Structures are given as structure tokens and as C-alpha cells.
Amino acid sequence: DACFSSTKTTTSSFVISYIQSRAKMTSILLRTACRTSLTPSARAASFSLSQTSFFSSGSHDDFAPKRKAIDDEDEALKMIKEHVESNRIMLYMKGNPSMPMCGFSARVVQALQNEGVDFSSVNVLDYPQIREGVKKFSEWPTIPQLYIDGEFIGGCDIVTSMHESGELKEILEEKKE
């Protein structure tokens, strides 16, 4: 890579060179991707965005979360059991608490946040084996799924109803003691 070949490059020229090379790569990628799928005006807008958004494309693989590969259903069920037993409040959801990927998951996260509790979660969209395994583990067909102290509580409608009636708060306080 030309940016890293010279040891005499000053910090500011290094940064400028890096930004320029990123901008070129981004614009090439966008032009290639946009050739067939966008109108000329949309292509122009995408190209101008690529000129100003230098760091728009994710980070290096070294900084990506390390995900454990799950080979079969038995391994998934074992992992789910470990999660449920080792985390007081465990939520299997689509997305994560800061960015739920479905409205039902968002409603359960909101209910838990309103109760003021810390909880662990797994994004089932990242783990297809967990997504299917958790349905078998609980014998409940939908996601999200909430567990408190190892006990399956329910999905979105049940958790929302329990939150609104105050029952969820009681369970959280009762289980805490």
C-alpha cells in the first residue's frame, strides 16, 4: 500500500494521503455498484457523497466481533442453556438493545429499560442455529424471548402486558431477593 511505504512521511501528509486513497477506493466502488442500478442524478448524488464521507465503510476484520461458529442443534441448545443459566435476565432478540431490528424486540427492550434493569441479549440474526434452537428450547415459536433467572417468561405480547400491569416489576423484584 502506497500510504505505508515511506517512513519519512509526516503525520499530516500521511493522513491526507490515507484519506485521499480511501476516497478514491470508495468512489470506484460506488461507481461500479451504481452503473446499472441508479439513475444518472442518483449516481451523481452517490458519487458526491463518496467524496465527502471518507470513513463510511466499516472497520477492519480485526475489530469485528468474534462470533463462535455453531455447528449443530445440540451445540446451540447447550449454548442457550448456558446463557439462560448464567445471565439473570436474558433476551433473545432481533438486533441488539441499542438497535433493535424489529418492532417486537424494540418493545421488549423498552419494557426492560423502563423497569431499570440490566440484561443480556443475543442477536439471533447473527446466529441462525441459535434463532431456531431458542424456539425449541422454550417450545415457543417466536422471537423475542425473555428469560428471568432461568425461567422462560414469554414473548413481546406477554412481556408488554406484564410490564403494563406491573407484574414484570414484581417478578424482577421477587427474583432479585
Side-chain angles (χ1 to χ4, degrees):
D1 192 351
C3 293
F4 301 103
S5 62
S6 172
T7 57
K8 296 179 183 176
T9 306
T10 64
T11 303
S12 60
S13 64
F14 170 78
V15 171
I16 291 169
S17 175
Y18 177 76
I19 290 172
Q20 288 171 341
S21 68
R22 290 289 297 204
K24 287 178 188 174
M25 288 188 305
T26 304
S27 66
I28 290 169
L29 290 172
L30 283 174
R31 278 185 284 175
T32 303
C34 294
R35 277 192 189 124
T36 58
S37 61
L38 298 175
T39 64
S41 59
R43 248 184 258 135
S46 293
F47 182 73
S48 67
L49 278 175
S50 71
Q51 295 291 324
T52 58
S53 181
F54 302 115
F55 300 102
S56 63
S57 65
S59 64
H60 191 274
D61 287 343
D62 288 347
F63 300 107
K66 303 296 181 216
R67 295 191 174 107
K68 184 176 190 264
I70 302 165
D71 298 323
D72 62 13
E73 184 179 305
D74 290 336
E75 187 178 350
L77 292 172
K78 181 181 174 193
M79 186 178 287
I80 292 164
K81 185 176 184 195
E82 288 173 13
H83 290 164
V84 168
E85 290 175 351
S86 63
N87 295 285
R88 180 168 184 271
I89 303 170
M90 186 72 214
L91 176 63
Y92 290 90
M93 62 180 291
K94 293 178 182 175
N96 60 58
S98 61
M99 194 167 134
M101 299 301 285
C102 91
F104 299 115
S105 292
R107 286 173 51 196
V108 173
V109 166
Q110 187 64 48
L112 292 170
Q113 289 174 339
N114 287 342
E115 295 296 344
V117 295
D118 291 329
F119 59 98
S120 299
S121 67
V122 170
N123 179 358
V124 297
L125 298 176
D126 288 340
Y127 302 95
Q129 291 284 358
I130 295 288
R131 183 179 187 171
E132 292 309 310
V134 75
K135 294 174 186 179
K136 289 181 181 167
F137 185 80
S138 64
E139 298 178 3
W140 189 260
T142 60
I143 305 231
Q145 293 187 11
L146 178 65
Y147 295 80
I148 299 176
D149 289 329
E151 181 183 336
F152 176 61
I153 301 299
C156 178
D157 292 340
I158 292 170
V159 172
T160 302
S161 174
M162 290 174 73
H163 170 65
E164 290 170 353
S165 72
E167 189 178 354
L168 183 60
K169 183 179 188 98
E170 290 173 14
I171 289 174
L172 290 167
E173 289 174 355
E174 173 185 306
K175 299 276 186 178
K176 215 187 285 189
E177 299 167 357

